[in-house]
Amino acid sequence: MRDVIVLGAGMAGVAAALHLQRRGWSVALVDRGEPGRETSFGNAGIIQAEAVEPYPMPRDIASLLKVATGRGNDVRYDLLALPGHVGSLLRYWWHSAPARHRTVSAAYAGVIARSTADHQELMTAAGVPDDLVRRDGFRELHRSVALLDADTVLAERLRTEFGVGYRRLSPAELAAAEPGLKATGAGALHWLDSWTVRDPGALVAAYADLFEREGGTLLRGDAATLAAEPGGGFRLRTADGPLAASAVVVALGPWSPELLRRFGYRVPMVRKRGYHRHYKVTGRGLDLPLRDSDFGYVAAPMTTGLRITTGAEFAGAEAPPKPIQLGRAEAALRGLVDLGEPVETVPWLGTRPCMPDMLPVIGQAPRHPGLWLHFGHGHQGFTLGPATGRLLAEMMTGETPVVDPAPFAPARWCR
Ligand SMILES: Cc1cc2nc3c(=O)[nH]c(=O)nc-3n(C[C@H](O)[C@H](O)[C@H](O)COP(=O)(O)OP(=O)(O)OC[C@H]3O[C@@H](n4cnc5c(N)ncnc54)[C@H](O)[C@@H]3O)c2cc1C
């Protein structure tokens, strides 16, 4: 039996571990904490079937000026931290050119198309409770008709090219669908095919339970203790003692480049920080998650309260939290729904692990046979984990992959 250590028990690692185990591998899944307590815990919980095109960097002068002058709330940056981001941001900018973005999107759409079906397979096997997941989409509020018109044109193109389902809602239709809203602006787009999860960390934990029930081993350990054996294979220290395997999967999300540096790879990652905080709802709240397109945040009904998740923040690697975007988002949301006190005393902070070409890294490390990589899922790792985990397991097992793996090859960024 082939054996593998999967490092990282976020959505990417747990899903890869399950798919490998189901193909006959003996799998040890190792994390320094509990499964699904980091980035896969803190997100907006949307399984984004509509996200067939990854988010490019804006290239028009008006959008860039809006970011540069701090007028928008989608993106914020600390001026002093920018030099540390500039290399990966320039590459991101280059890959965001329309023709390159079209090529990237063709590959991305292939895995996004599998996302809900591949989640469903794991949800059924895990016995995920019905009230954890909704299959009714989410909505995107627009305050200006011009912006809603522009986004409707985009939505129509996504429907034509990729079959993405959406409906444009008038202010009256939005008010009927969300009676808790105090303002409905110009209306909304309702993305119909996406699913929403009321506790993202609980879904990862349910998949991790399934992994154990199906015979997998879940261990505590520090990935930094990973070492290559001179004759091939790898060893790792865990809380339960040393572990050895012929293969390793690195699924450490935003921490992946740190480990790979130890193996001689410098991986440029676009590190987009994001915050969340839950609020008590005093009125009717929201039925489905709502993205406020003018203020760049998502308000998602969760088990713990109404969760606001923010857009991207570029700060120093270890910079303390500065939840400026969260403050603006909270003020905007208070104009839309009756919101009570925050649930937590301090907001949650995490990092989206984005690659400069917006595609995750899936495949074998260029110079280390047996070292497999599964990270860099950016804005949609919660969505993509099961689909890309399947792709990785197929490649490792020598099966015909469900989609062409070439665009995801590690050699793009692991040099
Ligand atoms: C604010 C915000 C909102 C988002 N909203 C969405 C959304 O709605 N939909 C969507 O699809 N995606 C969303 N995302 C993106 C998504 O959350 C991530 O892409 C995804 O969670 C990444 O999963 P992962 O398994 O790669 O990383 P993680 O979930 O971070 O898992 C990495 C694991 O590695 C472990 N680890 C790290 N270092 C070590 C070490 N040295 N030793 C052992 N273990 C270690 C960590 O403990 C962790 O469990 C959002 C992200 C943010 C920040």
Side-chain angles (χ1 to χ4, degrees), residues 55-59 91-98 100-101 356 358:
Y55 305 141
M57 185 191 272
R59 290 172 61 99
R91 292 175 175 109
Y92 183 20
W93 184 82
W94 194 82
H95 284 281
S96 298
R100 294 184 196 104
H101 186 247
M358 296 156 271

Side-chain angles (χ1 to χ4, degrees), residues 10-12 31-32 39-40 43-44 46 221-223 253 378-383:
M11 184 56 92
D31 200 291
R32 61 185 172 195
T39 332
S40 301
N43 55 66
I46 308 178
D222 184 351
H379 288 259
Q380 275 93 34
F382 186 67
T383 301

Side-chain angles (χ1 to χ4, degrees), residues 12-95:
V14 172
L18 269 165
H19 280 297
L20 284 163
Q21 183 162 268
R22 289 174 161 210
R23 283 165 178 75
W25 289 74
S26 167
V27 186
L29 176 58
V30 180
D31 200 291
R32 61 185 172 195
E34 293 289 323
R37 300 309 293 172
E38 293 287 354
T39 332
S40 301
F41 160 83
N43 55 66
I46 308 178
I47 298 177
Q48 290 189 258
E50 92 295 345
V52 286
E53 296 185 337
Y55 305 141
M57 185 191 272
R59 290 172 61 99
D60 62 289
I61 297 295
S63 306
L64 288 172
L65 270 178
K66 199 170 159 193
V67 174
T69 54
R71 277 185 294 117
N73 200 35
D74 302 51
V75 180
R76 198 193 78 77
Y77 64 91
D78 277 342
L79 196 56
L80 289 178
L82 272 190
H85 290 280
V86 91
S88 51
L89 282 178
L90 278 174
R91 292 175 175 109
Y92 183 20
W93 184 82
W94 194 82
H95 284 281

Side-chain angles (χ1 to χ4, degrees), residues 324-409:
I324 294 168
Q325 289 156 296
L326 184 66
R328 292 181 187 153
E330 181 188 330
L333 185 60
R334 286 192 186 280
L336 296 178
V337 294
D338 289 322
L339 213 56
E341 290 303 303
V343 174
E344 298 91 359
T345 48
V346 289
W348 174 90
L349 170 62
T351 300
R352 297 172 182 89
C354 304
M355 302 313 296
D357 61 1
M358 296 156 271
L359 294 176
V361 172
I362 309 165
Q364 195 160 206
R367 297 188 299 275
H368 292 79
L371 184 63
W372 292 83
L373 311 180
H374 187 222
F375 64 86
H377 293 74
H379 288 259
Q380 275 93 34
F382 186 67
T383 301
L384 285 174
T388 58
R390 176 192 295 276
L391 175 61
L392 178 85
E394 287 168 347
M395 292 167 76
M396 289 177 67
T397 311
E399 293 172 23
T400 306
V402 68
V403 297
D404 177 12
F408 308 103

Side-chain angles (χ1 to χ4, degrees), residues 104-186:
V104 161
S105 297
Y108 205 66
V111 275
I112 287 281
R114 301 204 49 89
S115 60
T116 48
D118 282 353
H119 265 287
Q120 186 59 62
E121 184 183 320
L122 299 186
M123 284 174 185
T124 305
V128 166
D130 286 345
D131 60 357
L132 189 62
V133 184
R134 286 200 47 193
R135 295 169 178 78
D136 303 314
F138 72 98
R139 302 188 180 92
E140 209 167 344
L141 171 77
H142 292 71
R143 287 178 172 76
S144 101
V145 175
L147 274 183
L148 181 55
D149 285 347
D151 277 2
T152 307
V153 171
L154 173 69
E156 191 50 40
R157 184 174 65 72
L158 297 184
R159 170 153 59 194
T160 312
E161 287 180 23
F162 300 101
V164 171
Y166 83 95
R167 208 161 84 76
R168 179 169 169 155
L169 303 180
S170 67
E173 287 170 322
L174 177 58
E178 290 287 4
L181 278 179
K182 295 189 279 186
T184 48

